[in-house]
């Protein structure tokens, strides 16, 4: 494979009357439509629950420009939510990897800081606190390498179906490190809500235990904190 | 009739805009940068490989499959189906591209990962570029589909970039493939002319990214609208990297940085296509991402997305840029004396011209019996593309020696300097 295109191809043949074959042009049109639909922002939640409606508000003269501008900016988003997201183009974007919805710091930057620890109980009834990698505690080089740990916890923190996997790997890591059987793991999240800029910046984390796994008779059992109760859950 | 002719002219201009031919040099430069950052990204990921891949990891196959579930077989035709009360459904499930589907063996995953790393390296240097860029794209997409729980903004941009590279003729410039073709005389020194639709798509996709994020922020972001958004972003401890003076993260400076962010993102989505504004818009983007890279721990994101800014320039503009830099560096220009009675083979001279992107080296017949070491050193140290390998003992001398042929023309009819590879900047 030389990396050189076939000289007979219209791509490299200067005598070719066309810039590109028709199927390339068709693909480009298809591709542009597909990625544009996918990248359109999702509409504000109000449209889903009926609090917001598209249209001109004729009730007051002042409401007309506001509702008109909202109509212009929100109509494509609402159209995407209703018809675009599920259109057959999704098979192309989602299967090939061209799915891209860039929402970094959008619509707002996250207004909280969160990290995770775990209480680990061994078979000899000793305990340790397992510190899941926290970027704030790492040096500049290690945090650059380890950012995926932050991203991973940011995601799994809101996905209960991932927690059993999370605790099992923590148990595996602790067993490998301490050479002792792990009998239980309790997950803690430590969260700090960033106060608005006009309020004192008092860093105080709220600690919350949210998931427990216990190893009983050769199998794991899981409990999730719901309200003020621990509820048994399946994997 | 006039309307028809006007329509034809308009269609032709649209066709020339999207599919017109030009030098693939910009794509070649993007390929080098993206290939490098893809390799770096994969190597960084390999440090914690055991935590992210394999059955004894945070994300075993069963969790990966729960997170990225199969594509729904029901689809819409933009709502038209509702008019007919139809429910279009595919007869089968379309799979996501994932060559790692079903693989639970950690050693097998590691081997696949190694192959993708190798393809990133080959893509970067442009060796077997078509194959290696396709393997890289398939590999990156597969890795992302295998573990979507750890992907950040940089990963998404990287995935899009390697997909476009795989579709593009990026190996036709700034590549080992190109050098081999020049060396063997299969192609001439002039840059090939190819349809640049992939570069146009990359431009569009990048601008779309910026425009939609601006839209989302300005349309729905309460903190962006009250101009305090950068205050919140800067106070996430987990993101902090190098120190920033506190006044930078407090009003009134956050009002300024929030509005600047919005203005730059909007400009990168729109004004960047307006040539007189392009340079300033891209400089704004570099400033924005440079500050984020300094102050926040978002690995490789700034580097990858800024690498793609090259797509807003044509290959000819990139080549001209290198020529201008070469002229500005004229004091480092040098003459390399070839052994007596020899000259450069034409094809080899074209290859040497291609690696001397800045056009700093002139090869002339000399008087010595063989190629002196200082002449070899002068050659590779001035030839930009040889820096990664020129220092290897004996390598560059070997290349230069094999570039020579006996000069059987009488001395007074020796090839004039201008005809030999004056090694002007032909980086194509």
């Amino acid at each position: 494979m030389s990396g050189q295109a076939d000289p007979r191809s219209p791509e490299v043949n200067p005598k070719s009357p066309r810039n590109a074959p028709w199927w390339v042009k068709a693909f480009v049109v298809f591709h542009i439509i597909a990625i544009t639909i996918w990248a359109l922002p999702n509409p504000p939640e109000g449209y889903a629950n009926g609090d917001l409606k598209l249209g001109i508000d004729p009730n007051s003269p002042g409401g007309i420009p506001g509702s008109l501008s909202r109509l212009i900016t929100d109509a494509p988003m609402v159209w995407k939510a209703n018809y675009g997201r599920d259109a057959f183009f999704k098979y192309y974007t989602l299967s090939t990897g061209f799915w891209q919805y860039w929402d970094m710091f959008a619509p707002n930057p996250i207004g909280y800081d969160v990290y995770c620890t775990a209480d680990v109980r061994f078979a000899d009834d000793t305990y340790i606190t397992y510190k899941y990698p926290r970027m704030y505690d790492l040096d500049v080089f290690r945090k650059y390498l380890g950012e995926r740990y932050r991203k991973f916890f940011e995601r799994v923190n809101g996905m209960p179906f991932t927690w059993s996997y999370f605790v099992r790997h923590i148990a595996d890591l602790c067993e490998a490190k301490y050479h002792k059987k792990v009998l239980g793991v309790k997950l803690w999240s430590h969260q700090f809500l960033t106060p608005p800029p006009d309020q004192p910046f008092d860093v105080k984390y709220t600690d919350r235990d949210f998931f427990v796994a216990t190893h009983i008779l050769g199998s794991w059992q899981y409990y999730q904190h719901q309200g003020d109760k621990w509820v048994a859950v399946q994997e | 009739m006039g309307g028809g002719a006007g329509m034809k002219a308009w269609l032709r201009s649209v066709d020339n805009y999207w599919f017109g031919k030009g030098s693939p040099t910009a794509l070649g430069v993007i390929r080098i940068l993206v290939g490098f950052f893809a390799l770096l990204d994969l190597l960084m990921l390999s440090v914690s490989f055991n935590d992210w891949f394999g059955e004894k990891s945070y994300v075993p196959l069963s969790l990966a499959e729960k997170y990225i579930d199969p594509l729904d077989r029901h689809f819409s035709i933009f709502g038209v189906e509702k008019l007919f009360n139809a429910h279009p459904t595919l007869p089968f499930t379309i799979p996501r591209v994932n060559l790692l589907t079903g693989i639970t063996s950690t050693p097998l995953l590691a081997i696949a990962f190694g192959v993708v790393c190798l393809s990133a390296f080959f893509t970067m240097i442009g060796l077997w570029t078509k194959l290696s860029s396709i393997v890289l794209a398939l590999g990156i997409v597969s890795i992302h589909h295998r573990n979507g729980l750890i992907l950040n903004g940089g990963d998404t941009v990287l995935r899009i970039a390697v997909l476009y590279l795989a579709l593009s003729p990026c190996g036709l410039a700034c590549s080992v493939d190109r050098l081999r073709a020049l060396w063997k005389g299969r192609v001439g020194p002039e840059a090939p002319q190819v349809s640049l639709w992939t570069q146009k798509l990359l431009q569009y996709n990048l601008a779309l990214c910026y425009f939609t994020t601006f839209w989302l922020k300005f349309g729905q972001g309460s903190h962006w609208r009250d101009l305090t958004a950068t205050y919140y972003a800067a106070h996430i401890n987990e993101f902090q990297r190098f120190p920033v003076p506190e006044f930078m993260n407090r009003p009134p400076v956050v009002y300024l940085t929030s509005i600047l962010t919005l203005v730059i993102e909007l400009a990168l989505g729109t004004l960047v296509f307006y040539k007189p504004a392009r340079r300033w818009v891209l400089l704004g983007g570099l400033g924005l991402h440079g500050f984020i890279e300094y102050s926040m721990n978002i690995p490789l994101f700034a580097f990858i997305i800024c690498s793609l800014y090259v797509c807003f320039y044509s290959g000819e503009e990139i080549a001209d840029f290198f020529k201008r830099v070469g002229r500005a560096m004229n004091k480092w220009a040098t003459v390399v004396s070839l052994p007596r009675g020899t000259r450069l083979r034409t094809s080899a001279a074209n290859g040497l011209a291609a690696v001397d992107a800045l056009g700093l080296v002139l090869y002339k017949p000399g008087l010595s019996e063989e190629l002196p070491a200082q002449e070899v050193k002068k050659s590779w140290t001035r030839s930009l593309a040889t820096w990664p390998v020129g220092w290897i003992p004996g390598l560059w001398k070997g290349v230069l020696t094999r570039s020579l042929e006996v000069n059987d023309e009488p001395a007074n009819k020796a090839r004039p300097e201008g005809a030999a590879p004056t090694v002007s900047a032909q980086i194509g």
Side-chain angles (χ1 to χ4, degrees):
Chain A
M1 196 102 191
S2 69
Q4 300 299 309
D6 182 350
R8 290 165 301 183
S9 150
E11 276 206 334
V12 293
N13 184 355
K15 289 179 182 169
S16 168
R18 289 179 305 187
N19 286 322
W22 69 266
W23 55 268
V24 167
K25 295 177 183 180
F27 166 74
V28 167
V29 172
F30 175 86
H31 178 82
I32 288 171
I33 295 170
I35 63 170
T36 305
I37 290 173
W38 196 258
L40 281 175
N42 292 323
E45 281 180 16
Y47 287 104
N49 57 31
D51 291 346
L52 287 172
K53 281 203 170 81
L54 280 180
I56 307 291
D57 174 14
N59 294 330
S60 68
I64 293 175
S67 57
L68 183 63
S69 86
R70 209 170 53 233
L71 179 69
I72 293 167
T73 58
D74 291 2
M77 299 189 235
V78 174
W79 176 85
K80 177 200 174 179
N82 290 342
Y83 306 114
R85 190 164 38 203
D86 233 12
F88 50 87
F89 288 99
K90 71 180 177 181
Y91 296 118
Y92 171 70
T93 47
L94 287 172
S95 65
T96 57
F98 272 114
W99 43 273
Q100 182 186 37
Y101 182 75
W102 195 20
D103 55 357
M104 187 184 283
F105 302 134
N108 279 314
I110 54 169
Y112 62 89
D113 210 8
V114 66
Y115 67 95
C116 175
T117 58
D119 292 340
V120 178
R121 182 166 64 91
F122 294 101
D124 62 0
D125 219 24
T126 56
Y127 288 81
I128 61 152
T129 298
Y130 174 80
K131 290 187 173 176
Y132 180 77
R134 185 190 176 196
M135 299 305 105
Y136 186 68
D137 293 334
L138 301 178
D139 60 47
V140 168
F141 180 69
R142 286 177 191 278
K143 72 167 69 174
Y144 209 68
L145 288 178
E147 210 279 333
R148 291 181 194 282
Y149 289 96
R150 187 205 65 78
K151 192 74 197 178
F152 179 70
F153 183 65
E154 181 190 292
R155 288 227 167 86
V156 302
N157 193 27
M159 295 180 189
F161 71 90
T162 63
W163 295 345
S164 58
Y165 297 90
F166 192 37
V167 291
R168 281 211 304 271
H169 189 56
I170 289 175
D172 287 345
L173 292 173
C174 291
E175 285 184 354
K177 184 173 179 185
Y178 297 99
H179 307 291
K180 292 191 278 190
K181 186 80 186 159
V182 170
L183 287 190
V185 180
K186 179 189 273 189
L187 293 178
W188 289 83
S189 76
H190 310 274
Q191 187 165 308
F192 163 63
L193 290 175
T194 310
D198 55 353
Q199 289 181 18
F201 197 84
D202 188 16
V203 180
K204 195 173 176 186
Y205 282 85
T206 305
D207 307 322
R208 185 175 70 92
D209 49 349
F210 63 98
F211 195 70
V212 168
T214 54
H215 199 243
I216 300 169
L217 299 174
S219 67
W220 286 97
Q221 294 186 3
Y222 306 105
Y223 304 89
Q224 194 175 315
H225 217 162
Q226 291 181 358
D228 55 354
K229 287 189 296 190
W230 286 99
V231 179
V233 290
Q234 298 295 315
E235 184 183 332
Chain B
M1 289 295 281
M7 176 61 85
K8 268 190 176 175
W10 180 77
L11 284 175
R12 204 176 305 120
S13 70
V14 170
D15 186 74
N16 281 332
Y17 177 80
W18 281 98
F19 304 99
K21 291 178 181 175
S23 158
T25 302
L27 286 169
V29 173
I30 294 169
R31 192 205 70 244
I32 293 170
L33 295 169
V34 169
F36 172 73
F37 289 119
L39 181 61
L40 199 57
D41 184 64
L42 291 164
L43 292 178
M44 285 167 60
L45 185 55
S46 70
V47 173
S48 50
F49 184 84
N50 287 332
D51 274 341
W52 304 128
F53 299 95
E55 291 308 281
K56 287 277 183 185
S57 74
Y58 283 117
V59 191
L61 183 63
S62 53
L63 176 57
E65 287 175 346
K66 274 185 193 172
Y67 180 64
I68 297 186
D69 46 8
L71 299 179
D72 185 6
R73 286 165 50 195
H74 301 283
F75 64 93
S76 87
I77 312 171
F78 302 124
V80 174
E81 74 281 4
K82 288 182 181 171
L83 299 175
F84 304 99
N85 201 23
H87 303 281
T89 306
L90 289 178
F92 52 88
T93 302
I94 293 188
R96 295 172 197 262
V97 172
N98 185 356
L99 302 180
L100 306 176
T101 301
I103 298 181
T104 53
S105 155
T106 305
L108 266 182
L109 287 169
I111 289 169
F113 195 82
V115 170
V116 183
C117 288
L118 199 63
S119 69
F121 178 73
F122 283 170
T123 300
M124 176 181 73
I125 65 173
L127 179 60
W128 303 313
T129 312
K130 192 46 93 183
L131 176 66
S132 53
S133 61
I134 289 173
V135 172
L136 177 63
L138 287 174
I140 295 270
V141 172
S142 299
I143 288 169
H144 287 191
H145 282 160
R146 175 66 178 76
N147 187 351
L149 282 157
I150 56 171
L151 304 182
N152 55 36
D155 291 316
T156 306
V157 177
L158 180 67
R159 186 181 66 246
I160 300 296
V162 296
L163 281 166
Y164 283 121
L165 286 182
L167 293 171
S168 76
C170 60
L172 293 180
C174 312
S175 65
V176 173
D177 289 337
R178 167 86 176 149
L179 289 179
R180 289 168 68 202
L182 284 167
W183 184 267
K184 292 178 179 173
R186 289 203 306 262
V187 295
E190 65 287 348
Q193 296 294 298
V194 292
S195 178
L196 295 173
W197 57 271
T198 38
Q199 189 175 338
K200 290 290 179 191
L201 280 182
L202 191 50
Q203 289 176 3
Y204 176 78
N205 206 328
L206 205 50
L208 183 68
C209 247
Y210 281 112
F211 184 76
T212 52
T213 195
F214 162 81
W215 189 354
L216 191 56
K217 285 171 179 168
F218 192 67
Q220 298 177 40
S222 54
H223 294 320
W224 289 104
R225 292 179 87 125
D226 67 17
L227 303 182
T228 58
T230 55
Y231 160 84
Y232 289 96
H235 284 93
I236 306 168
N237 285 335
E238 297 303 298
F239 268 134
Q240 286 177 8
R241 197 171 181 216
F242 294 115
V244 174
E246 183 55 20
F247 78 91
M248 293 279 290
N249 296 329
R250 285 269 165 193
V253 178
V254 292
Y255 301 149
L256 184 67
T257 49
S258 294
I259 201 161
L260 268 178
T261 303
L262 290 173
V263 167
I264 290 170
E265 287 181 343
L266 177 61
L268 281 163
T270 52
L271 270 182
V272 72
F273 294 105
Y274 177 55
K275 212 167 176 180
R278 180 181 59 180
R279 176 197 297 188
W280 303 109
V281 171
L282 293 177
L283 281 174
L286 289 177
L288 171 72
H289 289 295
F291 181 70
I292 292 174
E293 178 65 24
Y294 169 82
S295 60
M296 305 185 85
N297 189 49
I298 308 175
L300 298 183
F301 175 67
F303 292 109
I304 297 168
I305 202 159
C306 290
S307 301
L308 300 182
Y309 286 2
V310 176
C311 77
F312 290 106
Y313 289 88
S314 69
E316 289 79 5
E317 286 174 308
I318 302 284
D320 282 347
F321 169 77
F322 277 100
K323 278 181 193 165
R324 282 203 308 276
V325 173
R327 280 198 293 275
M329 296 171 70
N330 196 37
K331 66 177 174 179
W332 282 289
T334 190
V335 174
V336 171
S337 298
L338 303 175
R340 190 190 334 200
T342 65
R343 65 182 178 191
L344 293 174
R345 285 186 291 112
T346 305
S347 60
N350 290 336
L352 291 174
V355 294
D356 179 22
L358 300 172
L360 295 177
V361 190
L362 177 67
Y363 295 89
K364 274 180 63 175
L367 299 172
S368 61
E369 290 301 322
E370 58 178 30
L371 207 54
Q374 72 268 19
E375 299 298 299
V376 175
K377 189 176 178 188
K378 279 197 301 190
S379 168
W380 79 258
T381 52
R382 265 80 167 182
S383 300
L384 189 64
T386 63
W387 288 359
V389 292
W391 55 271
I392 297 172
L395 187 122
W396 194 242
K397 185 174 183 180
V399 171
L400 287 182
T401 306
R402 277 189 285 165
S403 305
L404 301 174
E405 64 182 6
V406 175
N407 187 359
D408 48 8
E409 292 175 24
N412 59 352
K413 282 190 175 180
R415 180 182 297 185
E417 283 172 22
T422 52
V423 191
S424 53
Q426 291 170 353
I427 63 167

